[in-house]
Amino acid sequence: QVQLVESGGGLVQPGGSLRLSCAASGSISSINAMNWFRQAPGKEREFVATISRSGINRYYADSVKGRFTISIDNAKNTVYLQMNSLKPEDTAVYYCAAGPSILVRIPGSMTSWGQGTQVTVSS
């Protein structure tokens, strides 16, 4: 069993930056990939970014490519999502999730989820 706890959300103006953190505990060795998803009101949960446990491989949704950066610190069992040039359409609850592979980016295939952290981009 893996437990995930997100932090770092908040209110930011358009063009601003935020860094989200996701601390993992429990059966860390079972994790092959860590992911960020987001869900806006009235919309389905969507993939944002994924990173392999080694940190070597990373993939992003087209909507955030070039603006968001996912990283991992294995010494701290923590995954980060640096979000720059934020837009109002980035407003959502952001979730981290443990997954079986960086090639698997479907919410239903994730094995553990955090509770989510709200990100609001507004002037």
Side-chain angles (χ1 to χ4, degrees):
Q1 190 76 6
V2 174
Q3 293 79 44
L4 303 172
V5 178
E6 303 99 332
S7 60
L11 173 65
V12 63
Q13 293 186 342
S17 298
L18 278 176
R19 188 178 80 156
L20 306 182
S21 300
C22 173
S25 61
S27 302
I28 306 297
S29 60
S30 65
I31 299 175
N32 293 317
M34 287 298 298
N35 304 268
W36 286 98
F37 288 81
R38 66 186 181 186
Q39 188 166 18
K43 295 188 176 181
E44 293 185 353
R45 194 167 296 189
E46 65 174 3
F47 167 77
V48 175
T50 186
I51 189 167
S52 59
R53 192 173 169 195
S54 67
I56 294 175
N57 297 300
R58 316 175 194 198
Y59 296 97
Y60 300 91
D62 288 342
S63 58
V64 307
K65 202 172 294 182
R67 300 188 297 121
F68 291 11
T69 302
I70 189 171
S71 61
I72 189 168
D73 184 337
N74 284 308
K76 297 182 179 179
N77 293 329
T78 300
V79 176
Y80 303 96
L81 186 68
Q82 177 67 43
M83 305 186 295
N84 299 328
S85 302
L86 282 161
K87 305 175 181 180
E89 51 263 44
D90 294 318
T91 295
V93 177
Y94 284 70
Y95 299 89
C96 69
S101 166
I102 57 171
L103 300 179
V104 178
R105 305 163 201 172
I106 301 172
S109 297
M110 298 298 114
T111 55
S112 297
W113 289 91
Q115 82 287 353
T117 185
Q118 177 71 47
V119 171
T120 302
V121 184
S122 175
S123 55

